[in-house]
Amino acid sequence: MTAEDYLNGQVLLIDKPLHWTSFQAVNKMKWALKSKLNLPKKFKIGHAGTLDPLASGLLLVCTGKFTKKITELQGQPKEYTGTFFIGATTPSYDLETEIDQTFPSSHIDEALIHETVKQFLGEIDQKPPIFSAIKKDGVRLYEHARAGVEVEITSRKTTIYEFEITRIALPEIDFRVVCSKGTYIRSLAYDFGKAMQSGSHLTALRRTKIGDYKVENALTPEEFEKVILNSEAAE
């Protein structure tokens, strides 16, 4: 593609690696595009929906005029796969923080797990994790958390369209979830454990789809960089 193609607008499918921030992924792409295609300083590029560093998978990156589509793309249903660890919680609901509590789990069997899934299908009330970027009184929740400040977090409506257990090897449970914008899978992990009279936290997460876009059609940021740098120079 030429510089004009990117300026007119593209939706690029990127497979964000584990431990990368979404910003780092976009920045690498931006550098490659500017280096090769001599794009203007104010070239527009942005992603439609952040992925945490501890998650991998599909990141939609919009360029040029298509940056206007970001809000629309963010609103599409998303599919995730991952792993819950049953019997323990962490303050961040994932591996960002250490285990703070352990719970009984000997009563949990496959029947209870599959029965509990039903509680989370459809529209549910969900509280975002305290370690999240949502703002409360102008300050991001994770900043309150790291400062040791307790804040009241308001629950909000979200929708789980599909929730499937794909592997049970306690204390691990693998899952696949299709959900609406604004769903926190970390909160789902926490609430799922609580619903089974135990605890749970998220140990792996991968975003596999956004709307009709699939991660199997995506390139890593480094693969994208190689494609751009090895392509013929734009006219």
Side-chain angles (χ1 to χ4, degrees):
M1 283 189 282
T2 66
E4 190 174 351
D5 292 324
Y6 289 105
L7 289 169
N8 285 335
Q10 299 291 325
V11 177
L12 305 171
L13 278 60
I14 296 301
D15 186 351
K16 187 192 80 66
L18 193 64
H19 303 307
W20 284 51
T21 67
S22 300
F23 176 79
Q24 283 174 317
V26 172
N27 216 33
K28 192 168 191 68
M29 296 170 66
K30 187 176 184 179
W31 177 86
L33 287 167
K34 284 194 167 187
S35 297
K36 187 67 176 181
L37 301 179
N38 196 29
L39 291 162
K41 282 187 178 181
K42 292 186 178 180
F43 169 63
K44 291 182 179 180
I45 184 169
H47 62 77
T50 301
L51 264 181
D52 290 340
L54 291 178
S56 68
L58 186 59
L59 192 69
L60 296 183
V61 177
C62 298
T63 72
K65 295 175 183 176
F66 276 26
T67 52
K68 293 177 181 177
K69 292 178 175 281
I70 285 176
T71 302
E72 174 192 334
L73 292 170
Q74 284 175 333
Q76 296 192 44
K78 298 171 180 66
E79 179 185 81
Y80 296 90
T81 60
T83 303
F84 297 155
F85 185 96
I86 306 299
T89 58
T90 71
S92 60
Y93 302 171
D94 66 3
L95 295 178
E96 184 182 344
T97 53
E98 299 291 326
I99 289 171
D100 62 347
Q101 282 185 281
T102 56
F103 298 84
S105 59
S106 58
H107 64 286
I108 296 172
D109 57 17
E110 291 197 16
L112 178 59
I113 291 167
H114 288 295
E115 192 60 33
T116 304
V117 164
K118 297 174 185 176
Q119 297 180 32
F120 293 93
L121 287 167
E123 188 177 72
I124 62 171
D125 288 313
Q126 185 184 76
K127 283 189 177 182
I130 184 64
F131 281 81
S132 64
I134 294 170
K135 287 187 177 180
K136 174 81 172 180
D137 301 326
V139 179
R140 298 196 184 279
L141 288 182
Y142 64 76
E143 293 176 353
H144 284 301
R146 286 166 185 160
V149 177
E150 289 191 18
V151 294
E152 182 65 32
I153 301 175
T154 306
S155 64
R156 51 194 197 176
K157 300 287 185 186
T158 188
T159 303
I160 307 294
Y161 302 110
E162 297 177 40
F163 188 3
E164 175 189 6
I165 302 300
T166 56
R167 180 183 71 105
I168 298 173
L170 292 170
E172 292 185 342
I173 297 175
D174 289 355
F175 65 88
R176 183 185 68 86
V177 166
V178 180
C179 56
S180 64
K181 173 189 175 184
T183 302
Y184 278 91
I185 307 299
R186 286 182 286 151
S187 293
L188 182 63
Y190 177 85
D191 293 340
F192 191 77
K194 193 174 179 182
M196 294 193 297
Q197 306 302 310
S198 185
S200 174
H201 63 281
L202 188 68
T203 57
L205 185 65
R206 182 163 174 78
R207 187 156 67 194
T208 48
K209 285 179 72 177
I210 300 174
D212 293 327
Y213 297 102
K214 299 178 181 179
V215 74
E216 52 257 43
N217 299 323
L219 298 175
T220 67
E222 289 164 330
E223 287 170 341
F224 178 83
E225 180 185 39
K226 284 180 184 176
V227 168
I228 295 299
L229 297 182
N230 293 335
S231 65
E232 289 185 5
E235 293 295 329

